[in-house]
Amino acid sequence: MRSLRWRLLALTLAGVAVSMVLAAVVLSGLFREQVQQQFEAALAQQLDQVTARLDFDTQGQPQVAAQALSDPRWLKPYSGLYWQVDQVGPDGGSRAGLLRSRSLWDTSLALEADRLADGAVHVHEAPGPQGAPLLVLERTVRAAADGAGPSWRLIVAGDLRATQAAAARFTRVLVLSLAVLFVLLATAAWAQVAVGLRPLAALQRGLQAVRQARASQLEGTFPAEVQPLVDDFNAVLARNADVVERARTQAGNLAHALKTPLTVLEQAVRAPADGASAAELAALVQEQVQVARRHIDWHLARARVAASAGLPGQRTEPGPVLQGLVRVMDKVYAERHLALLLDLPPVPPGFAGEVQDLQEMLGNLLDNACKWARSAVRVQVREGWGGQDGAAGRPQLVVVVEDDGPGIDAAQRAQALQRGVRLDEAVPGTGLGLAIVQELAGLYGGRLELAPAAGLGGLAAVLVLPAAPAH
């Protein structure tokens, strides 16, 4: 948990730091660019002013009325604002500083030769007096209107140090502000991670309590985002506890059921009855072994269904299962010439369970119906709606197995569903068939009902099971 907290905090702070650095670089660059553009615009106005005050005498020599220039910095030595007029020769060379502002004092701006179209403005940086960095704007003009004669380069330059100092101050304030903001965001991120992961810490403590057998479920109050996980986990714990309890019950029931045949066999071996032959002893052993086998099969079937019932995604089609069982029963009871009728809808509902369990339940019902039928057995499949608790809206698979036998009185139907009870000892069987069907159906949330057969006149076994959702 601690590792996850620090990883989340580190990732959050790294993202915030990268964002801060990018913001500082972008904002500082934008501010510097904006300040320089404003400075350049101011110098362009000064260049226009110098150009307007430029005049030529009769000899074609330039003159600038310095007293007409409005900015007093032109007259202050090394004030940071300078103008200069250079002569540009035909070969591109220039004579620097023919005219210059008083602010240049006894120096001139030494600029590289530059060829400009008449009227075009060139902006660049260059060193100035006392090594100060300058932003230079220059323009080429001619005295003659026809373009003949020498060219003159008008230069206006301004000291960049004030602009650079302003940009540096802004960058320092920006970095300091972003540093303070980073500290605040880091504190907020730490608080958010700590508060956000606190429910997981409580969940961890709950899991430790469950693992150490101090609690049977996760207990406590959790946020709405975590509560579904807690509910699902508690449902899994409850199901596991139910499975364990069922396993204990099954083991106890099996041990109790096997105790009687084992006791009979032990007594028969230790103290055989007087005059008992080996054949009688073998018959006794075989009988008790069959009883034990029936109990084992019964409990194994219950254990398998208890483990698989309710699992999602299970679907078994009843049509192929019933068709296979009808073919088997037709062969088993071939000498009786029974009419086995199967009534399937065009699209029968599926069974929400395993195919072996459906075969076990339907096989027992069909076998029981064939044992008691006189001439016909009919199986009907339909879709129903409801639930084990009577709630409507749940799809169900309903299978009705009818026979034309003697039927069962209403007073004996509940007794017929009890395990090991046989209403007629003349008919072979173990008395477990209907009880197995009822037990398996109950484990799936279904039920088995016995009623008079309306069509054939015998007994109708109505098996109701949960239906699988349609594909």
Side-chain angles (χ1 to χ4, degrees), residues 126-406:
Q130 300 178 341
L134 301 179
L135 182 64
V136 179
L137 276 69
E138 56 182 89
R139 170 186 291 153
T140 300
V141 297
R142 294 180 183 271
D146 56 1
S151 299
W152 307 91
R153 182 164 63 170
L154 301 183
I155 301 170
V156 171
D159 196 336
L160 284 171
R161 286 179 294 184
T163 301
Q164 293 174 347
R169 286 194 302 271
F170 175 81
T171 301
R172 287 194 298 271
V173 173
L174 177 63
V175 170
L176 180 61
S177 301
L178 291 179
V180 174
L181 181 60
F182 177 79
V183 173
L184 295 177
L185 290 178
T187 304
W190 179 85
Q192 183 178 10
V193 171
V195 174
L197 293 182
R198 188 173 299 168
L200 296 184
L203 182 62
Q204 184 184 29
R205 292 192 296 269
L207 289 175
Q208 291 177 351
V210 172
R211 184 176 59 187
Q212 296 171 3
R214 291 185 285 108
S216 60
Q217 286 190 332
L218 293 177
E219 300 176 352
T221 302
F222 298 92
E225 293 79 7
V226 182
Q227 191 61 45
L229 175 63
V230 175
D231 294 340
D232 292 342
F233 190 80
N234 284 337
V236 172
L237 291 177
R239 177 174 175 79
N240 288 340
D242 184 58
V243 170
V244 171
E245 184 63 26
R246 287 182 181 179
R248 290 176 179 174
T249 303
Q250 293 290 339
N253 292 340
L254 180 59
H256 181 75
L258 294 179
K259 183 183 297 184
T260 299
L262 290 177
T263 302
V264 172
L265 291 176
E266 183 181 12
Q267 291 178 353
V269 171
R270 288 184 177 181
D274 296 338
S277 63
E280 293 175 343
L281 182 60
L284 177 63
V285 171
Q286 183 178 8
E287 178 186 1
Q288 297 305 315
V289 168
Q290 289 178 352
V291 172
R293 180 178 291 116
R294 288 197 301 268
H295 286 298
I296 291 174
D297 292 341
W298 161 260
H299 286 286
L300 286 179
R302 281 200 61 183
R304 187 185 70 250
V305 176
S308 62
L311 293 178
Q314 297 186 110
R315 182 182 179 88
T316 300
E317 299 298 336
V321 174
L322 284 171
Q323 292 169 355
L325 290 174
V326 167
R327 289 192 296 269
V328 171
M329 295 301 166
D330 192 36
K331 294 180 180 179
V332 172
Y333 296 96
E335 72 281 359
R336 296 182 56 189
H337 304 288
L338 296 176
L340 302 178
L341 308 176
L342 181 58
D343 185 6
L344 286 172
V347 183
F351 166 55
E354 293 189 351
V355 62
Q356 302 95 320
D357 301 327
L358 185 61
Q359 289 175 341
E360 180 79 14
M361 290 182 283
L362 296 180
N364 277 293
L365 292 181
L366 275 173
D367 184 60
N368 187 76
C370 290
K371 287 178 181 177
W372 293 94
R374 294 187 178 94
S375 61
V377 174
R378 183 170 60 188
V379 181
Q380 294 179 328
V381 177
R382 66 174 184 267
E383 184 178 16
W385 295 89
Q388 191 176 17
D389 55 357
R394 299 179 183 178
Q396 295 176 332
L397 169 66
V398 180
V399 182
V400 182
V401 181
E402 299 177 311
D403 62 71
D404 60 350

Side-chain angles (χ1 to χ4, degrees), residues 67-156:
Q67 68 278 4
L69 298 177
S70 60
D71 198 320
R73 289 179 296 173
W74 299 120
L75 303 176
K76 182 179 179 182
Y78 307 124
S79 63
L81 183 61
Y82 315 104
W83 64 265
Q84 181 175 294
V85 179
D86 296 347
Q87 183 180 9
V88 181
D91 57 353
S94 63
R95 294 172 58 191
L98 292 180
L99 296 174
R100 62 181 182 270
S101 63
R102 183 62 177 168
S103 57
L104 280 172
W105 197 241
D106 57 353
T107 63
S108 61
L109 301 176
L111 304 178
E112 296 181 0
D114 197 1
R115 287 184 176 272
L116 295 175
D118 293 344
V121 177
H122 182 204
V123 182
H124 59 91
E125 295 184 13
Q130 300 178 341
L134 301 179
L135 182 64
V136 179
L137 276 69
E138 56 182 89
R139 170 186 291 153
T140 300
V141 297
R142 294 180 183 271
D146 56 1
S151 299
W152 307 91
R153 182 164 63 170
L154 301 183
I155 301 170
V156 171

